[in-house]
Amino acid sequence: MTGTTLDDYTDRYARRVRGMTASEIRALFAVASRPEVVSLAGGAPYIAALPLDAVGEMLGRLGSEHGATTLQYGIGQGTLELRERICEVMTLSGIDAGCGASPEDVVVTVGGQQALDLVARLFLDPGDVVLAEGPTYVGALGVFQAAQAQVAHVPMDADGLIPEALETAIADLARAGRRVKFLYTIPTYQNPTGVTLSEERRERVLDICERAGLLVVEDDPYGQLGFEGEAPAPLRARRRDGVFYLSTFSKTFAPGLRVGWILAPHAVRDKLVIASEAQILCPSGYAQAAVATYLGTMPWRQQLKVYREVYRERRDALLDAMADLMPEGTSWTTPAGGLFVWATLPDGLDSKAMMPRAVAARVAYVPGTGFYADGTGTDTMRLNFSFPPPERIREGVRRLAGVMEQEIAMRRVFGAVGGGAAGRRGQAGSDVPGPDLA
């Protein structure tokens, strides 16, 4: 029997389009944005913490006084002024001229997402394998899927990516004749778990990748949003060769401007610029000028401290509420920075199946399945604490805990429904689910 489709163009799409699926997070936005819903789902920064009057005046001047340049075409690599400012920002994390950081090797991108896409375009052929933490950033999974690559997840625990598991994954894939191109990692305040790769493991992971001839793609959107002292130095501050450093101003300034960057090995820089020009011709001159002017004229280091204080308070509100209200058998991470907590549900609960009932109770989260290439992780969820105020966070947890209690009660009465246990992945004694290879 031949099926039917509402899409008249199905037979005309390129092969790489056929596997495209909607992001679980994006699909939640329409619901989560309703005012009656407490959204613990998105990853939106708290923009109201910015000095919006001053930022507004700055943006107005960029148009009225400098519009002849800010509203004009630019170069594909990005303005020199912004690339110099980006190098100043990176020095806060220990990435400086001493480890080869130069404006010449920075490529400005349309947010961190384009940076990921450019790296995928340059290095991934259909059928190639990308190693990534399990779970990992859903936007990266979409990029790798569009490149027709396969993702093999490497287990994590409370100290981040497990080096022994990385070695095993590389060896297993080599025996299977699979070509692994790079390790994609968010080592600091990881999305979605909030976990940070320990100091000792950073060197081991770099050594393993170097021995295996693997590139490392380090995604670092959250590294400057730590709550408890300084984060470990990024991987790029330790090794120059073979490490691509990606970051963005979306979490530390304004996501609406869509400005990110790549610090790439020198030999790759020109190819990144060519690939970017093929996509977008050049990044927005106005957005670049806005970020460069903000960094050059406003107390952005102090603003980072403001964000850290706001997010620390909200993280604590979420953790306190979970400790007070969550059903027995629930566990979660305790992030030292970033925007997210990763929760593991009591035995038998399925976060994806539970989602409609949570929305009916006017609370939203992201099911854990969205962060695995193979759709596992049904017993997990990501909770965001950056956007709602503390009292709303507690109310959201109260609603969510009520839904979970109802699910547990239904399970006692009717038995298991759905595939909760089948999708579970974990390690005894670990705060973070540790998946097998996807």
Side-chain angles (χ1 to χ4, degrees):
M1 181 177 177
T2 303
T4 59
T5 176
L6 297 177
D7 186 348
D8 293 335
Y9 298 90
T10 297
D11 294 335
R12 306 186 187 193
Y13 288 131
R15 283 191 294 272
R16 63 180 173 273
V17 175
R18 294 173 187 170
M20 286 185 178
T21 56
S23 160
E24 300 211 14
I25 297 176
R26 293 290 171 187
L28 284 169
F29 274 5
V31 171
S33 62
R34 285 161 31 192
E36 70 273 16
V37 174
V38 179
S39 177
L40 305 174
Y46 187 59
I47 296 301
L50 285 169
L52 292 177
D53 289 347
V55 171
E57 291 177 9
M58 178 195 77
L59 295 175
R61 288 194 302 273
L62 288 177
S64 61
E65 299 176 14
H66 306 284
T69 53
T70 61
L71 302 178
Q72 186 55 273
Y73 286 117
I75 62 173
Q77 187 175 355
T79 66
L80 177 60
E81 179 185 12
L82 179 57
R83 287 184 279 121
E84 290 174 340
R85 297 290 183 191
I86 286 170
C87 286
E88 292 176 14
V89 170
M90 289 191 294
T91 61
L92 291 184
S93 303
I95 303 174
D96 55 23
C99 59
S102 162
E104 291 303 308
D105 294 330
V106 172
V107 178
V108 178
T109 60
V110 182
Q113 193 68 17
Q114 193 207 7
L116 267 174
D117 189 70
L118 290 175
V119 172
R121 285 172 182 267
L122 257 60
F123 290 102
L124 294 179
D125 289 316
D128 283 344
V129 177
V130 174
L131 290 169
E133 292 136 346
T136 193
Y137 169 50
V138 65
L141 293 177
V143 166
F144 303 147
Q145 180 188 64
Q148 296 179 277
Q150 303 295 313
V151 174
H153 287 300
V154 181
M156 303 171 64
D157 62 18
D159 290 321
L161 188 76
I162 301 171
E164 295 82 2
L166 176 62
E167 287 185 299
T168 299
I170 292 170
D172 288 348
L173 288 161
R175 281 194 295 271
R178 306 292 301 281
R179 183 167 64 166
V180 183
K181 284 294 185 67
F182 56 78
L183 169 68
Y184 169 72
T185 178
I186 311 171
T188 306
Y189 316 136
Q190 198 240 13
N191 179 3
T193 65
V195 166
T196 295
L197 184 65
S198 68
E199 182 77 38
E200 181 266 340
R201 285 189 181 182
R202 291 181 182 234
E203 293 295 338
R204 291 173 63 194
V205 165
L206 286 167
D207 287 343
I208 290 166
C209 290
E210 186 173 308
R211 288 196 300 269
L214 290 186
L215 301 175
V216 176
V217 178
E218 179 181 19
D219 200 354
D220 189 26
Y222 313 103
Q224 294 179 352
L225 295 175
F227 313 145
E228 300 169 4
E230 295 298 319
L235 304 180
R236 181 57 181 78
R238 303 158 189 269
R239 304 284 171 93
R240 179 185 311 188
D241 296 331
V243 180
F244 292 75
Y245 180 81
L246 283 53
S247 193
T248 177
F249 291 104
S250 291
K251 304 302 187 292
T252 56
F253 179 26
L257 291 172
R258 309 304 304 128
V259 177
W261 74 91
I262 306 174
L263 176 63
H266 185 76
V268 185
R269 190 254 343 253
D270 287 344
K271 289 184 173 59
L272 285 168
V273 173
I274 292 168
S276 181
E277 288 173 340
Q279 282 186 326
I280 62 167
L281 191 61
C282 61
S284 164
Y286 183 83
Q288 291 181 84
V291 174
T293 304
Y294 172 77
L295 295 173
T297 64
M298 293 193 178
W300 59 272
R301 290 177 179 83
Q302 183 61 37
Q303 185 60 43
L304 285 176
K305 294 180 182 178
V306 171
Y307 274 132
R308 290 174 190 141
E309 289 301 319
V310 169
Y311 296 155
R312 180 191 291 114
E313 179 187 27
R314 296 179 179 202
R315 176 207 60 178
D316 291 347
L318 177 57
L319 294 178
D320 289 347
M322 294 179 75
D324 292 343
L325 301 170
M326 278 294 183
E328 184 179 352
T330 311
S331 62
W332 52 87
T333 58
T334 303
L339 308 182
F340 306 108
V341 165
W342 183 250
T344 301
L345 306 182
D347 186 54
L349 295 195
D350 183 327
S351 62
K352 191 168 185 178
M354 191 173 71
M355 189 69 205
R357 290 180 281 280
V359 170
R362 295 168 297 149
V363 62
Y365 57 84
V366 184
T369 52
F371 303 97
Y372 290 99
D374 59 359
T376 52
T378 57
D379 63 329
T380 57
M381 63 172 66
R382 192 191 75 178
L383 302 175
N384 166 256
F385 53 79
S386 61
F387 193 74
E391 64 274 12
R392 289 285 283 173
I393 289 174
R394 188 170 186 88
E395 174 59 20
V397 173
R398 186 191 67 79
R399 296 176 187 181
L400 179 56
V403 172
M404 291 168 63
E405 294 282 11
Q406 290 176 355
E407 293 286 305
I408 292 170
M410 289 174 58
R411 180 177 171 81
R412 289 196 190 106
V413 174
F414 299 107
V417 280
R424 297 180 68 87
R425 286 177 154 179
Q427 294 178 307
S430 172
D431 290 334
V432 180
D436 302 320
L437 291 178

